[in-house]
Amino acid sequence: MSNDADFIYVDEAQGSDDTGLGTKEHAYKTAVFAIQKHGENIKIQLRKTSEEEYKDISGAAFKKAKNHVLESKKIVLTQDSTLPEAKKIKIRESINRRDTRVKISGWVHRIRIQGKDMMFIVLRDGSGYIQCYLHGVLCHTYDAITLTLESTITVYGIISELPEGKQAPDNHELRVDYWELVHKAPGGDEAFTNQITTETDPSVLLDRRHLVIRGEKASAVLRVRSAVLRAFRDHFYSKGYAEVTPPHMVQTQVEGGSTLFELAYYHEKAYLTQSSQLYLETCLPSLGDVFAIAESFRAEKSHTRRHLSEYSHLEAEMAFITFDDLLDCLEDLICDTIDRVLSDKSIADLIYSLNKDFKKPERPFLRLDYKDAIQYLKDNDIKKPDGTFYEFGEDIPEAPERVMTDKLNRPIFLCRFPAEIKAFYMKRCKDDPRVTESVDVLMPNVGEIVGGSMRITDLDELLRGYQREGIDPAPYYWYTDQRKYGTTEHGGYGLGVERFLAWMLDRHTVRDCCLYPRFTERCKP
């Protein structure tokens, strides 16, 4: 008696030639594909409807499928030499190339077959998507009947606007007159859709991130990210800032020694930078206002949805400003960047496809002092895990901060934190030396996305800051010198690009907002 493993299963109603494995649970859709995949010497069990039981394929049906495969291999496509020469284009150019013959290369994103003479392929080239319509002999070749998702092909034809009532990307399709297979991706158990599914474990998705980013949502996030980075730069250039590129390997700390990644640098000890801020400050006397977009590294063993070990850090430093100027600059950066991004319709469409409820923040942002936030937590009965209230001088952790931000449901400048819970370089307020001229920008659904402050200008005060934090000032001589040779009021900030994107695109975790996330125990691929 035969068992299930002796047969290849074909379910014409619910099977799939893209994701099927030929098993009873994951059947193929066609006998043609089964023969193409496993050869002619196979036993096929087939059913035509989901209500039927599987049964042996008939001899006539098997022969027909085998002949179909054999005949398809004999078909050789040739270009019609009487047609105009095709112009090679990217999909992003397709609207402006309608009604002319074009040539487009890309990856097969979706396939839909209608009968034996029609095939629709959605092609992707990284710049966009286009629906391709194939008919007649174009659908009968061996490459056509065995075409798999993520195969690379080149298509030739004319792009025509679709009639009213039909739908496709950009409301048009390419009517193909010739096509070529560049490379065929595997099917069956190695099929693309078997590598990543809605049920795939998140750790496996991270292992296969190189495939995940081909998906529509992941690629949309990365495309918006590119537009946001450009908009940040355009904002700064429009304000006269200079971009600088500080080092990533350093021998000083900025945000506390416990989060430093240590490395052997020849015969010395060095670290991956936590922030480029100190270096940006040194550029003020030579370049004026400056900014940098670079990677920063924090060795925090935090498994939260807003922490990364490596993240893109947008930092800026400005000279001859006040704390109010700093807040105004931050508000202008965020709002102007959003306006610039939304001015590109294609990017705006991606943003609203990912976050249909996105609304531009309204100016002015709420300005809330730390001491008033402590009182807000008490007034709203937001307590510590042990049931007690937060008191002045204590750090407000992520969870209660998020509760407060979500309740207020608007961007918040949380200002004037106690000096003891902030970095050594932050300037104290003249009217209350207990607190610093510091700010965190909080956004609903994500929390803190920016940290900034006015920087200490007085040499003695800076030396006391080193002492308070137990920092040896010797390696910081180049930073300390800024208070000797023409000190001035100055300040700056650091913005986490992934957090900004998580807020804008309503992503659950910052891990979705970078190319290959790095966090505790994750440093691949």
Side-chain angles (χ1 to χ4, degrees):
M1 182 176 178
S2 298
N3 61 40
D4 289 351
D6 296 328
F7 296 105
I8 300 297
Y9 288 86
V10 174
D11 183 343
E12 293 183 348
Q14 296 181 322
S16 171
D17 290 341
D18 289 322
T19 62
L21 303 175
T23 62
K24 186 178 288 188
E25 294 77 17
H26 303 284
Y28 296 131
K29 186 174 184 64
T30 65
V32 169
F33 185 84
I35 293 171
Q36 179 271 327
K37 181 72 178 174
H38 299 280
E40 300 173 21
N41 299 317
I42 57 173
K43 299 175 183 177
I44 294 178
Q45 289 265 298
L46 178 142
R47 67 178 182 183
K48 294 183 178 294
T49 69
S50 55
E51 289 76 26
E52 292 181 11
E53 295 293 327
Y54 281 104
K55 58 185 179 182
D56 289 342
I57 190 172
S58 69
F62 186 85
K63 183 178 180 180
K64 182 179 178 182
K66 185 171 71 170
N67 287 340
H68 187 60
V69 173
L70 293 173
E71 289 301 316
S72 70
K73 291 181 178 180
K74 297 176 184 178
I75 300 173
V76 178
L77 299 179
T78 57
Q79 285 205 64
D80 185 343
S81 60
T82 66
L83 294 174
E85 183 178 355
K87 173 73 174 177
K88 183 180 178 181
I89 68 166
K90 293 288 188 182
I91 292 173
R92 65 170 176 264
E93 306 170 69
S94 57
I95 290 179
N96 295 326
R97 293 289 182 175
R98 287 177 178 174
D99 302 320
T100 57
R101 191 164 183 260
V102 298
K103 170 185 175 182
I104 301 176
S105 298
W107 289 261
V108 175
H109 190 65
R110 282 195 292 273
I111 304 171
R112 178 165 55 92
I113 297 171
Q114 285 188 210
K116 64 178 183 178
D117 288 322
M118 283 198 298
M119 176 186 289
F120 295 89
I121 297 171
V122 174
L123 198 64
R124 181 189 78 241
D125 73 349
S127 75
Y129 302 85
I130 190 167
Q131 178 171 286
C132 306
Y133 168 65
L134 289 73
H135 69 285
V137 70
L138 299 176
C139 308
H140 300 163
T141 66
Y142 183 75
D143 288 337
I145 67 174
T146 60
L147 190 62
T148 49
L149 294 181
E150 294 304 316
S151 294
T152 41
I153 64 174
T154 299
V155 292
Y156 299 72
I158 294 176
I159 301 171
S160 300
E161 188 172 2
L162 288 173
E164 192 173 340
K166 302 282 187 178
Q167 287 189 331
D170 289 326
N171 196 40
H172 61 207
E173 69 181 9
L174 190 152
R175 299 182 71 86
V176 179
D177 57 56
Y178 176 74
W179 72 283
E180 302 167 317
L181 177 70
V182 178
H183 178 264
K184 183 176 291 182
D189 54 356
E190 285 192 284
F192 180 79
T193 46
N194 284 329
Q195 303 302 305
I196 48 174
T197 69
T198 54
E199 291 79 31
T200 302
D201 184 89
S203 64
V204 176
L205 291 177
L206 287 165
D207 289 340
R208 297 174 183 168
R209 178 75 175 161
H210 60 294
L211 300 180
V212 170
I213 60 176
R214 298 185 183 203
E216 292 178 25
K217 284 188 178 180
S219 62
V221 170
L222 293 177
R223 189 163 296 283
V224 173
R225 177 189 170 99
S226 173
V228 165
L229 290 173
R230 177 177 176 175
F232 279 138
R233 285 190 165 94
D234 287 346
H235 167 83
F236 285 119
Y237 293 146
S238 74
K239 304 292 182 181
Y241 288 64
E243 182 171 8
V244 294
T245 52
H248 283 170
M249 293 184 290
V250 301
Q251 293 185 309
T252 53
Q253 69 182 55
V254 181
E255 299 296 336
S258 64
T259 66
L260 285 168
F261 281 110
E262 186 177 320
L263 66 144
Y265 186 71
Y266 301 104
H267 301 295
E268 296 182 278
K269 186 184 292 187
Y271 312 98
L272 293 176
T273 184
Q274 301 164 314
S275 166
S276 299
Q277 174 205 315
L278 305 190
Y279 293 98
L280 264 62
E281 288 188 53
T282 69
C283 296
L284 293 175
S286 57
L287 297 173
D289 298 342
V290 291
F291 78 97
I293 302 177
E295 300 305 288
S296 287
F297 305 85
R298 302 282 173 91
E300 291 178 276
K301 294 181 179 178
S302 299
H303 280 283
T304 76
R305 58 194 178 105
R306 69 175 194 170
H307 280 92
L308 292 167
S309 298
E310 176 186 4
Y311 66 98
S312 295
H313 206 177
L314 182 152
E315 298 181 87
E317 292 292 322
M318 295 82 71
F320 304 104
I321 63 169
T322 66
F323 185 49
D324 284 337
D325 292 335
L326 175 65
L327 300 184
D328 290 341
C329 286
L330 260 174
E331 190 172 274
D332 188 42
L333 167 73
I334 292 169
C335 294
D336 183 51
T337 295
I338 291 169
D339 286 342
R340 290 173 185 272
V341 170
L342 292 178
S343 68
D344 183 330
K345 184 181 182 305
S346 64
I347 298 299
D349 288 345
L350 290 178
I351 291 171
Y352 290 115
S353 73
L354 293 163
N355 182 8
K356 62 182 176 62
D357 297 322
F358 178 71
K359 291 188 176 103
K360 295 193 299 183
E362 295 182 5
R363 304 193 201 197
F365 292 0
L366 174 65
R367 302 187 180 193
L368 180 69
D369 282 354
Y370 162 89
K371 63 181 177 60
D372 296 323
I374 290 291
Q375 188 60 48
Y376 180 93
L377 297 180
K378 291 180 179 179
D379 293 344
N380 287 269
D381 202 34
I382 302 171
K383 299 179 180 179
K384 300 179 191 176
D386 65 6
T388 61
F389 285 112
Y390 292 94
E391 300 295 342
F392 186 93
E394 296 180 320
D395 191 21
I396 302 175
E398 176 188 353
E401 182 182 84
R402 285 281 305 277
V403 172
M404 177 183 71
T405 306
D406 291 349
K407 275 178 173 288
L408 292 170
N409 196 32
R410 57 181 296 192
I412 301 170
F413 282 147
L414 186 56
C415 304
R416 297 182 174 84
F417 291 86
E420 285 69 27
I421 63 173
K422 282 297 182 181
F424 70 90
Y425 52 76
M426 292 190 179
K427 187 178 183 68
R428 292 176 185 262
C429 294
K430 289 182 180 179
D431 58 347
D432 186 354
R434 297 178 306 161
V435 297
T436 53
E437 290 187 322
S438 53
V439 59
D440 285 352
V441 181
L442 311 179
M443 289 294 189
N445 300 319
V446 69
E448 180 194 346
I449 65 167
V450 180
S453 76
M454 297 297 290
R455 316 310 191 188
I456 290 174
T457 56
D458 180 74
L459 176 60
D460 292 335
E461 185 181 351
L462 179 60
L463 293 175
R464 289 195 295 271
Y466 290 140
Q467 184 178 27
R468 186 188 78 227
E469 298 299 324
I471 295 173
D472 178 6
Y476 294 81
Y477 70 93
W478 51 274
Y479 182 69
T480 307
D481 274 356
Q482 303 305 307
R483 281 75 185 167
K484 292 182 181 179
Y485 300 99
T487 190
T488 182
E489 295 295 323
H490 65 288
Y493 52 82
L495 177 148
V497 173
E498 288 81 9
R499 290 189 184 182
F500 184 89
L501 287 165
W503 161 68
M504 176 182 270
L505 303 179
D506 192 28
R507 298 298 91 188
H508 177 69
T509 170
V510 292
R511 298 174 188 177
D512 293 339
C513 299
C514 54
L515 187 58
Y516 290 101
R518 298 291 185 254
F519 52 92
T520 309
E521 300 175 358
R522 165 65 59 173
C523 196
K524 66 176 184 179

